[in-house]
Amino acid sequence: MPGKGHWEHRDRHVCSSRCNDTLKRRTKTRIRRGEIDLLAIPELADRSAAMSEQRAQLSQERMPQVFRTREADADFPYEFRGLGPIPGDIVERNGSVTAYATAAALAADHIVALVRNHSDGDEEPMIALHEQSGSYLAYTSGVVWWVGAAEQLERLHLGQRFQGIDGRSWIWQNEAIRDLDSAGREYTWEAYICLTETTTPILWTPAYAARSAKQLRIRRARNSYQARMRERGVLNAAADGVDPYEIYERDQWICQLCHQAIDSVVEWPDLRSATLDHIKPVTLGGAHTAENLQAAHWVCNVRKGDAWGPGVQQDSAAGSGAHNTLFR
């Protein structure tokens, strides 16, 4: 990190995914041992309680079911439910079928012994059985213990290609799907599946993608406002988390300066694209709140300049009003 960088950035460091996974695994072990009490950390207590409630909600008892690949015109390609497969579930992905069972149910005593001898908990290991390749994968809570294939004595690894009993090349990988629960909180479905080709590491449902896009819009608008306030000598200026699209919808996609319609499809840097205009300009200390924001064409925002309120559009060569909270 550069020496002149912001302290929040300088205090960070770059690390590989392997190191991060190791740190997460060690931290979880310390939590299970009682060495780390999440509830004793004030800023994490509420979040930890909410996560426990969410896990309980998503892990409610259910009957085993089959999760299939949806039709091509579906809003999301795969069926899923909860945090991951339970014993008896079957996951079908584009013709590849994986079944799930406990190691004890399959009398896989060597897998049970392996987990017990190398972990502090007593979690029941799960086994994913792949129908087409004849291979299997043993895991507990995201930790892969063993990957094996028919007629191969050597242990395989997650992400390693191998030849199945059907003669095709296969690869075990972790399917991760990000979604939102009924309360709008995010969670991740994870399932170990075997496919012929690698897929996108993390998939987003339409609901999760929409929330992510909204958060990005809010962050960009707030950052733009705070950047302008810093130019005026105000550091860390307070700014509400306002979604520009909610302001545009509130104003019915009508420019509040020229009173003409705004085309929602047109994007910046088109002069007729939508921008947020501060009714009381930022240069006069205008706040970044929904009450002080209105929809405007970019060109109208430029013409208004530093005028207060809708009023009459003003010609401005500098056009400082155009950058009030320009959403790009």
Side-chain angles (χ1 to χ4, degrees):
M1 294 297 175
K4 296 183 179 179
H6 192 276
W7 65 267
E8 289 184 349
H9 296 272
R10 286 187 280 107
D11 284 355
R12 299 173 185 172
H13 66 277
V14 179
C15 198
S16 68
S17 59
R18 177 183 176 184
C19 294
N20 283 327
D21 291 341
T22 300
L23 179 60
K24 291 177 184 177
R25 188 163 58 250
R26 290 175 178 173
T27 302
K28 289 180 180 179
T29 299
R30 294 186 63 191
I31 293 174
R32 288 198 300 268
R33 290 175 176 173
E35 298 175 5
I36 298 177
D37 184 5
L38 294 179
L39 298 181
I41 306 175
E43 61 268 23
L44 294 180
D46 294 339
R47 187 171 63 180
S48 178
M51 291 176 61
S52 298
E53 176 189 352
Q54 183 189 35
R55 283 194 296 269
Q57 175 188 354
L58 295 172
S59 301
Q60 291 179 352
E61 292 187 7
R62 63 176 176 84
M63 296 297 294
Q65 60 188 95
V66 178
F67 299 99
R68 302 184 183 278
T69 301
R70 294 185 172 130
E71 298 295 332
D73 58 350
D75 61 344
F76 190 74
Y78 304 125
E79 294 178 346
F80 67 97
R81 180 182 176 185
L83 299 173
I86 64 172
D89 278 351
I90 296 177
V91 174
E92 179 271 324
R93 296 294 185 248
N94 300 312
S96 176
V97 179
T98 306
Y100 302 82
T102 63
L106 297 176
D109 297 335
H110 63 293
I111 296 296
V112 176
L114 175 66
V115 175
R116 296 291 182 269
N117 293 334
H118 295 85
S119 65
D120 298 322
D122 56 355
E123 187 176 0
E124 180 71 32
M126 288 277 289
I127 294 183
L129 300 165
H130 185 235
E131 178 180 310
Q132 283 77 16
S133 68
S135 62
Y136 69 94
L137 179 146
Y139 66 98
T140 58
S141 296
V143 178
V144 176
W145 292 95
W146 194 270
V147 181
E151 301 179 358
Q152 294 190 31
L153 299 178
E154 295 184 1
R155 177 181 178 180
L156 302 174
H157 299 282
L158 190 68
Q160 177 182 348
R161 284 198 170 276
F162 65 94
Q163 186 173 4
I165 58 176
D166 59 354
R168 288 189 290 174
S169 175
W170 295 92
I171 182 172
W172 278 98
Q173 53 196 295
N174 186 28
E175 174 186 83
I177 299 175
R178 296 271 174 85
D179 195 15
L180 303 179
D181 63 14
S182 57
R185 298 170 299 192
E186 67 178 71
Y187 71 94
T188 303
W189 151 282
E190 291 187 88
Y192 290 104
I193 57 177
C194 196
L195 301 174
T196 56
E197 299 293 338
T198 56
T199 59
T200 303
I202 299 178
L203 301 173
W204 290 5
T205 64
Y208 188 92
R211 194 200 65 161
S212 179
K214 177 179 178 179
Q215 290 177 333
L216 179 61
R217 293 193 297 266
I218 292 174
R219 185 166 61 252
R220 284 180 171 176
R222 181 162 45 199
N223 290 348
S224 176
Y225 170 79
Q226 291 177 331
R228 293 204 66 208
M229 292 299 289
R230 284 195 297 272
E231 293 175 357
R232 303 182 67 246
V234 180
L235 302 178
N236 300 320
D240 291 350
V242 181
D243 180 5
Y245 274 27
E246 292 180 357
I247 301 298
Y248 303 154
E249 291 288 344
R250 183 200 66 188
D251 293 343
Q252 301 179 349
W253 291 89
I254 299 296
C255 176
Q256 300 302 297
L257 300 177
C258 72
H259 307 294
Q260 299 297 315
I262 300 174
D263 189 346
S264 61
V265 179
V266 175
E267 298 181 351
W268 187 89
D270 192 294
L271 294 178
R272 304 290 291 179
S273 61
T275 64
L276 289 180
D277 170 55
H278 289 83
I279 299 174
K280 179 180 180 180
V282 177
T283 54
L284 300 179
H288 188 72
T289 61
E291 295 75 18
N292 193 48
L293 292 169
Q294 61 186 0
H297 291 116
W298 183 39
V299 64
C300 296
N301 205 341
V302 170
R303 290 170 179 167
K304 175 191 171 187
D306 293 333
W308 187 329
V312 179
Q313 298 174 13
Q314 299 182 6
D315 294 331
S316 173
S320 57
H323 304 289
N324 284 350
T325 51
L326 186 59
F327 171 64
R328 302 183 181 185

